[in-house]
Amino acid sequence: DRGRYRHYMLKEIHEQPRAITDTLEGRLLDDHVLEAAFGPKAHDIFSQLARIQIVACGTSYHAGMVAKHWMETLAGLPCDVEVASEFRYRSHVVTPGTLFVTISQSGETADTLAALREAKNLGYAATLAICNAPESSLVRESDLTLMTRAGPEIGVASTKAFTTQLVALLLLTVATGRYHRLDKAGETAVVEALRRLPRSLEAALALEADIERLAEQFVDKNHTLFLGRGPQYPVAKEGALKLKEISYIHAEAYPAGELKHGPLALVDTEMPVVAVAPKDDLVEKLKSNLQEVRARGGVLYVFADAGVNLKSGDGYEVLRVPEVAEVIAPIVYTVPLQLLSYHVAVLKGTDVDQPRNLAKSVTVE
Ligand code: F6R
């Protein structure tokens, strides 16, 4: 039931604070992530790990890309991420103590499932599924599971499944990282940020009226570019995927530092450029990339917090996202990009919940 919402996608975007609260329920104790949340064998497996291999498709793959940053900066665990359709059809060098992690909303995606089955033959130390469907094949066939509790996702474009996957992956980062680089203070900081996350998302959802106005600048465009750096690069990729799948506007995401290696040639007044720019170690670098865009006449739409010294005017439109702990910024900055693609699609009059040529669950190759 869509309730008061015009589309399931909009309802599901607004359900994210609750979906995240549900996903955290029973998995934290004070300032501690409960290892047993991953299953009875979690302790034996996590305490022996040396490496993580993540495999997924589409939006779920983008969640894995964010997790790689968390694993390598917070946990100190080497982490690789690959799309399932590539992983399943190549040779692998498997190093001892590698945990094979799949991420999937449906748990029935053909390529992800085939990759899991292949991983078992390849001799990975153990398998873990992060999934939203408790009865799914992926869950049944994995050693460990962590369910996202997003509830049914009806809109074909994944929204609340993605942000709850990120929450689950942050829990995994902590649960594995404490055997490596993550100390007690680090764990406490992550848990505090997670507990504040539902409220941070409420604040991000409050940008909707501004974003609805912004959407008007995109309806008549044929191409758009999304930029981010570090863990915000996968957020930019997810923003571009959402826009292309429901509004049919061509959208590409680039790590901002790659601009001058090619895509800058495309930039003109007809190609809006969206950037995700929380205040972090990379923001000054990102700002100089934005100036390169501006110098070619590109019009910039920048999502940034109050700590970033950028002003609207002269080809820049700056939207203020609430200031949040750096670790959860990828989750918070996802929300305005979801709202942007939704409102552009509504203005274009597309079938938001059932985009052409796409299926909710891709059970064939
Ligand atoms: C995009 C989208 C798809 C899915 C992908 C994987 O909005 O929904 O890219 O993320 O098909 O699906 P799951 O997560 O069910 O394995």
Side-chain angles (χ1 to χ4, degrees), residues 227-229 256 275-277 282-290:
L227 301 176
R229 296 188 78 122
V276 271
L282 297 169
V283 75
E284 290 307 317
K285 301 239 175 255
L286 180 66
K287 276 164 67 180
S288 53
N289 302 137
L290 300 186

Side-chain angles (χ1 to χ4, degrees), residues 160-303:
K160 61 179 181 171
F162 178 68
T163 47
T164 54
Q165 284 166 353
L166 289 174
V167 167
L169 287 160
L170 202 41
L171 294 175
L172 179 66
T173 303
V174 172
T176 55
R178 62 167 79 102
Y179 298 105
H180 295 268
R181 192 193 292 149
L182 190 73
D183 61 14
K184 193 70 212 112
E187 173 162 358
T188 302
V190 173
V191 171
E192 279 175 1
L194 279 172
R195 287 195 193 279
R196 274 196 300 268
L197 182 58
R199 254 173 294 153
S200 305
L201 288 199
E202 295 286 2
L205 287 166
L207 292 169
E208 184 161 10
D210 292 334
I211 293 170
E212 208 174 333
R213 238 172 290 126
L214 195 71
E216 290 166 21
Q217 311 298 316
F218 288 73
V219 237
D220 62 341
K221 299 295 189 292
N222 296 314
H223 305 279
T224 57
L225 196 57
F226 285 70
L227 301 176
R229 296 188 78 122
Q232 294 291 340
Y233 167 51
V235 172
K237 280 185 71 82
E238 174 58 9
L241 177 62
K242 285 288 94 88
L243 189 68
K244 72 185 116 184
E245 70 182 327
I246 62 167
S247 77
Y248 316 144
I249 294 174
H250 172 219
E252 270 199 83
Y254 263 89
E258 275 289 295
L259 263 184
K260 54 164 75 72
H261 300 288
L264 207 48
L266 290 173
V267 170
D268 63 14
T269 53
E270 290 309 298
M271 187 176 193
V273 179
V274 177
V276 271
K279 179 150 178 59
D280 58 21
D281 293 348
L282 297 169
V283 75
E284 290 307 317
K285 301 239 175 255
L286 180 66
K287 276 164 67 180
S288 53
N289 302 137
L290 300 186
Q291 275 160 20
E292 292 160 9
V293 169
R294 192 57 207 128
R296 274 82 187 171
V299 180
L300 286 151
Y301 301 93
V302 188
F303 292 94

Side-chain angles (χ1 to χ4, degrees), residues 8-16 153-155 159-160:
Y8 280 107
M9 183 183 177
L10 186 61
K11 175 173 179 259
E12 289 161 4
I13 289 172
H14 282 270
E15 278 172 353
Q16 291 177 107
E153 194 179 59
I154 311 291
T159 53
K160 61 179 181 171

